[in-house]
């Protein structure tokens, strides 16, 4: 891109584009990063610089960039039927995708309600939970339990379920009747020593305590990510989800597995509930279902939850204009074809140990306190003191993450996330096509930048 075209884009971006979750003042004196193309696990900016996409866009781009098969699927569908809603009508790709997803999902999660993204999927799941209990004689059941620091979306309902006070304060009052329980951050659970399973049992039992405190007759659902994203990739301890399932059954509370990030290969399976061997009542999904080539999300429900809506005038009065868009569902089918034909899940399972081992090399750095995650989904927690696990205060985190790390990582050629929702972490979740060459590149770039960060501190 020549200098004049670049300058024009920069001015237009400053004058007209409102970027998401972005301090717009950051670009008063700095250029807006403009990404213009991608190829495999790499993206390129308008100046021709290359970056390893170590966050898969935003936990989205499972198959990498530049996939002509997905592009051709979109073009073919658009030429045949560019749009039609699912409001009392259907189209072939939505039908085919619903059947295919039901085949992948555990148990009798046989009904698929399409949205355009993850927040809408979470919103749909909460609305269904409340609607279902009203139709089945338990109209007081409406409350939701979720975990501390968990992120579930930005719509008013999904934001209410989110456990990040800083994201919510400026939008309050939100939807009432949501309650928080502990997450599974074992690194910050000193009272349990080295007993991971005991910690998991305690964390699960806290859900029962919350249900009892609110009254079981008022609690509709528990929303949990299989691996919690915000806070830096908290995997479930052994037995955790099995105990949560028992609790939900005991109190007739619906278990929602929020797999917006965790589904479609991120953890080496189509759905993370399969990896951790538990049966949800609903699964929410988005992101990787199309590898980001077209927007799509959805909520999957068991036959039990659909049953009341199969009779008389009962109707789920909910929907989205672009939910289950024909082009998006066609892309999703092509994406899933590639998953199967190229053995993507098998590749993740075969390489996750090497990815973990490569990232764990960073444990020799004084600033690295913990490396955690599963599959191709890892968080690296940064600390001020390894021995005591002392974290950074707000001013130090601001200086470290926004003052240095985010810019330095990008300048080094690595696109990932430096985040302080919870304790400061760097998150990496590259496209699922990556291998040892890319793991090494991620580790080497992280090592150089984190070493410099420590010297500055």
């Amino acid at each position: 891109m020549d200098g004049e075209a670049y300058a024009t884009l920069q001015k237009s971006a400053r004058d007209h584009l409102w970027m998401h979750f972005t301090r717009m003042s950051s670009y008063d004196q700095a250029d807006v990063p403009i990404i213009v193309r991608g190829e495999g696990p790499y993206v390129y900016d308008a100046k021709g610089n290359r970056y390893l996409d170590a966050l898969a866009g935003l936990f989205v781009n499972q198959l990498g960039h530049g996939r002509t098969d997905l592009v051709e699927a979109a073009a073919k569908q658009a030429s045949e039927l560019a749009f039609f809603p699912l409001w009392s009508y259907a189209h072939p790709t939505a039908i085919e995708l619903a059947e295919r997803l039901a085949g992948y999902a555990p148990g009798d999660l046989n009904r698929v309600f399409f949205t355009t993204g993850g927040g809408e999927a979470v919103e749909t799941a909460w609305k269904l939970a409340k609607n279902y209990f009203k139709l089945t004689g338990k109209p007081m059941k409406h409350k939701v339990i979720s975990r501390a620091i968990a992120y579930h979306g930005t719509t008013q309902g999904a934001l209410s379920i989110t456990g990040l006070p800083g994201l919510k304060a400026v939008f309050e009052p939100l939807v009432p009747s949501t309650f928080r329980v502990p997450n599974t951050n074992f690194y910050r659970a000193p009272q349990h020593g080295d007993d991971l399973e005991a910690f998991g049992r305690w964390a699960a039992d806290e859900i029962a305590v919350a249900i009892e405190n609110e009254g079981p007759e008022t609690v509709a659902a528990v929303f949990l990510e299989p691996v919690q994203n915000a806070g830096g990739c908290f995997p479930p301890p052994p037995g955790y989800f099995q105990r949560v399932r028992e609790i939900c059954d005991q109190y007739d509370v619906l278990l929602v597995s929020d797999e917006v990030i965790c589904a479609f290969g991120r953890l080496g399976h189509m759905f993370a509930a399969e990896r951790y061997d538990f049966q949800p009542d609903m699964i929410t999904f988005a992101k990787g279902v199309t590898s980001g080539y077209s927007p799509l999300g959805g909520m999957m429900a068991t036959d039990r939850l659909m049953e009341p809506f199969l009779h008389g005038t009962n109707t789920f009065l909910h929907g989205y204009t672009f939910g289950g868009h024909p082009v998006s569902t066609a892309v999703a089918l092509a994406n899933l074809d590639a998953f199967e034909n190229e053995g993507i899940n098998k590749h993740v399972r075969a390489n996750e140990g090497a990815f973990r081992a490569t990232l764990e090399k960073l444990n020799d750095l004084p600033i690295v306190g913990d490396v955690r995650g599963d599959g191709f989904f890892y968080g690296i927690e940064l600390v001020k003191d390894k021995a005591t696990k002392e974290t950074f205060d707000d001013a130090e985190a601001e200086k470290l993450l926004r003052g240095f790390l985010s810019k330095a990582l990008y300048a080094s050629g690595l696109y990932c996330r430096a985040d302080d929702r919870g304790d400061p972490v760097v998150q990496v979740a590259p496209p699922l096509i990556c291998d040892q060459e890319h793991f090494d590149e991620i580790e080497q770039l992280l090592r150089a930048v984190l070493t410099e960060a420590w010297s500055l501190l």
Side-chain angles (χ1 to χ4, degrees):
M1 182 178 295
D2 65 40
E4 184 178 349
Y6 181 78
T8 299
L9 271 181
Q10 284 293 332
K11 184 177 187 309
S12 295
R14 288 193 181 90
D15 291 349
H16 302 292
L17 182 62
W18 199 331
M19 288 172 282
H20 301 199
F21 283 98
T22 300
R23 292 184 185 177
M24 299 301 289
S25 63
S26 301
Y27 299 111
D28 286 347
Q29 304 297 323
D31 282 358
V32 175
I34 301 175
I35 304 300
V36 296
R37 71 180 181 92
E39 182 179 347
Y42 295 96
V43 293
Y44 298 79
D45 69 14
K47 293 182 175 179
N49 299 309
R50 189 182 83 164
Y51 307 88
L52 178 56
D53 181 3
L55 204 63
L58 195 60
F59 314 106
V60 169
N61 200 304
Q62 316 296 61
L63 298 184
H65 302 273
R67 294 282 307 218
T68 56
D69 52 342
L70 304 192
V71 174
E72 289 165 2
K76 181 175 183 293
Q77 179 59 47
S79 69
E80 294 174 357
L81 179 67
F83 174 74
F84 211 78
L86 294 179
W87 300 48
S88 301
Y89 295 84
H91 51 78
T93 54
I95 297 169
E96 292 168 24
L97 181 59
E99 180 182 18
R100 193 153 175 187
L101 293 173
Y104 291 137
D108 65 340
L109 285 154
N110 290 321
R111 297 288 181 163
V112 184
F113 189 103
F114 288 116
T115 67
T116 63
E120 290 178 356
V122 170
E123 202 82 8
T124 300
W126 191 7
K127 289 178 76 172
L128 176 58
K130 290 194 283 189
N131 199 165
Y132 169 78
F133 282 120
K134 283 177 171 57
L135 290 175
T136 55
K138 296 185 177 181
M140 293 295 289
K141 279 185 169 285
H142 66 286
K143 297 174 182 175
V144 165
I145 293 168
S146 60
R147 295 188 291 203
I149 314 178
Y151 175 87
H152 291 284
T154 57
T155 58
Q156 293 281 305
L159 186 58
S160 300
I161 297 171
T162 290
L164 292 156
L167 289 188
K168 302 163 75 162
V170 295
F171 303 111
E172 290 173 332
L174 294 168
V175 183
S177 303
T178 68
F179 304 89
R180 240 54 66 209
V181 293
N183 56 47
T184 59
N185 183 0
F186 189 56
Y187 184 66
R188 296 290 177 186
Q191 69 272 30
H192 295 279
D194 295 326
D195 194 338
L196 180 59
E197 195 163 343
F199 167 67
R201 175 76 183 212
W202 169 82
D205 284 345
E206 286 296 298
I207 294 172
V209 172
I211 293 171
E212 287 283 359
N213 286 345
E214 289 308 312
E217 72 282 359
T218 71
V219 179
V222 177
F223 279 69
L224 304 173
E225 297 165 277
V227 174
Q228 182 173 316
N229 171 39
C233 302
F234 306 143
Y240 174 81
F241 273 108
Q242 288 68 35
R243 177 59 185 144
V244 172
R245 181 70 266 176
E246 290 175 357
I247 292 166
C248 289
D249 290 341
Q250 178 184 351
Y251 294 108
D252 193 17
V253 169
L254 303 178
L255 174 54
V256 182
S257 183
D258 184 353
E259 303 201 15
V260 169
I261 288 175
C262 293
F264 306 109
R266 184 54 52 193
L267 300 173
H269 296 267
M270 285 301 186
F271 292 106
E274 179 185 2
R275 175 173 182 134
Y276 300 120
D277 191 27
F278 70 98
Q279 181 60 55
D281 298 292
M282 286 184 265
I283 288 177
T284 54
F285 66 87
K287 294 187 184 287
V289 68
T290 63
S291 285
Y293 282 70
S294 192
L296 184 66
M299 179 276 302
M300 302 191 67
T302 60
D303 292 338
R304 169 198 173 196
L305 298 183
M306 182 67 180
E307 202 278 334
F309 297 95
L310 299 176
H311 306 288
T313 60
N314 290 345
T315 304
F316 189 34
L317 297 173
H318 176 65
Y320 300 99
T321 299
F322 293 113
H325 191 284
V327 173
S328 295
T329 48
V331 170
L333 288 167
N335 184 56
L336 295 174
D337 284 344
F339 261 77
E340 294 185 357
N341 295 336
E342 297 168 29
I344 298 298
N345 286 322
K346 183 178 179 181
H347 174 79
V348 171
R349 294 195 300 270
N351 286 275
E352 67 174 330
F355 188 27
R356 177 190 291 273
T358 304
L359 292 177
E360 285 179 342
K361 292 179 182 178
L362 297 169
N363 277 321
D364 66 358
L365 298 178
I367 198 172
V368 172
D370 193 30
V371 176
R372 56 181 177 255
D374 274 331
F376 275 28
F377 185 34
Y378 283 90
I380 300 160
E381 183 166 335
L382 308 180
V383 293
K384 191 156 57 172
D385 189 313
K386 284 175 81 86
T388 65
K389 302 183 182 179
E390 181 185 359
T391 191
F392 300 92
D393 63 31
D394 290 346
E396 290 167 335
E398 174 76 16
K399 177 182 177 182
L400 172 66
L401 295 175
R402 294 176 185 84
F404 176 72
L405 269 182
S406 293
K407 299 170 186 174
L409 288 167
Y410 186 71
S412 76
L414 187 66
Y415 167 68
C416 58
R417 169 185 270 177
D419 192 21
D420 62 349
R421 295 179 299 175
D423 297 302
V425 296
V426 174
Q427 284 183 288
V428 289
L432 308 183
I433 57 171
C434 287
D435 54 26
Q436 189 61 51
E437 171 193 355
H438 307 107
F439 306 156
D440 288 338
E441 185 176 353
I442 291 169
E443 190 271 338
Q444 289 158 13
L445 293 173
L446 283 172
R447 176 174 294 277
V449 173
L450 291 176
T451 299
E452 185 178 355
W454 182 255
S455 69
L456 292 172
L457 290 167

